[in-house]
Amino acid sequence: MLLLVGLGNPGPKYAKNRHNIGFMAVDRIAARHGFGPWRARFQSDACEGSIAGVKALLLKPRTYMNESGRAVAEAARFYKSALSDLAVFHDELDLAPGKLRVKVGGGNAGHNGLRSITAHMGNDYKRVRLGIGHPGRDAVLSYVLNDFGKSEQPWVDGLTDAVAEAAEFLARNEDESFQNKVHLRMEAAGFANPQRIGEARA
């Protein structure tokens, strides 16, 4: 079972926060690929389906960001999934808004959701890094826990749509093709230039 985990905080208060773009991405995947209804399982909202013939579980932990690893580990134990079956979608301060990168392992860059998953499961899982830009060191907490601005919404929608459209490549472990497809879709939509996106945000 492929485990596709979006990171975020539960509840309407946080739903549109920048920190919740991982939740937004898996919501789009569920809608695009016709997954079953979301149900409460594994201390999460979870739904099952398939992407390009690969069985997958989408997971949005309800544990709050700092305890995401508890929920992910519970689901992985149930399905006997290996770390190589896990891909985690999360906000990335060190990428320009609208950019995406995939990597396996590496540091957690101060991200508490990743830190929790690593503590419970080990480090060598796939991270799908969704760029939100960096506001400067002193403003990080308020930045990630505030909603995307109205001017940011077009590229957020564009990025999460592109992720959902290209998810079949991720399901087949064709990470480079997945990245390229997302990039090309964003470029075609006019969001290839991070400076332009940054200006729109301002």
Side-chain angles (χ1 to χ4, degrees):
M1 179 70 80
L2 181 66
L3 300 182
L4 300 181
V5 177
L7 292 186
N9 288 307
K13 175 182 175 182
Y14 301 102
K16 296 181 180 180
N17 283 186
R18 294 184 181 93
H19 220 16
N20 273 41
I21 195 171
F23 277 12
M24 298 171 198
V26 295
D27 279 337
R28 292 295 173 96
I29 292 171
R32 171 86 186 200
H33 296 275
F35 273 59
W38 292 96
R39 294 190 293 144
R41 299 176 71 194
F42 313 120
Q43 305 175 69
S44 306
D45 293 319
C47 63
E48 288 187 36
S50 64
I51 303 171
V54 179
K55 288 183 67 176
L57 179 79
L58 302 182
L59 207 67
K60 297 187 294 182
R62 290 183 174 180
T63 52
Y64 290 93
M65 188 70 81
N66 294 4
E67 295 291 340
S68 300
R70 287 197 289 115
V72 178
E74 185 177 327
R77 283 194 301 271
F78 181 85
Y79 288 107
K80 299 181 173 61
S81 297
L83 271 183
S84 57
D85 298 319
L86 173 61
V88 178
F89 295 79
H90 67 92
D91 57 306
E92 177 58 71
L93 291 163
D94 292 330
L95 278 180
K99 292 295 184 184
L100 176 147
R101 292 289 183 272
V102 181
K103 69 172 184 175
V104 176
N108 297 322
H111 196 292
N112 290 331
L114 296 178
R115 184 181 291 127
S116 177
I117 293 171
T118 296
H120 282 268
M121 299 190 61
N123 199 50
D124 294 329
Y125 55 90
K126 191 173 298 181
R127 299 109 189 274
V128 182
R129 305 163 64 206
L130 305 167
I132 62 169
H134 204 300
R137 179 180 292 181
D138 296 335
V140 166
L141 189 59
S142 61
Y143 180 72
V144 299
L145 292 179
N146 270 296
D147 291 355
F148 284 108
K150 187 176 180 180
S151 64
E152 294 174 278
Q153 205 57 55
W155 72 256
V156 174
D157 290 339
L159 180 59
T160 52
D161 280 342
V163 164
E165 183 176 282
E168 63 187 270
F169 296 97
L170 190 68
R172 294 196 294 257
N173 279 318
E174 298 173 19
D175 296 348
E176 190 169 337
S177 294
F178 171 68
Q179 282 187 172
N180 288 340
K181 290 291 183 184
V182 171
H183 173 75
L184 290 171
R185 171 78 182 263
M186 292 295 281
E187 192 173 59
F191 297 122
N193 185 344
Q195 183 177 353
R196 179 185 161 188
I197 293 175
E199 289 167 355
R201 189 179 69 210

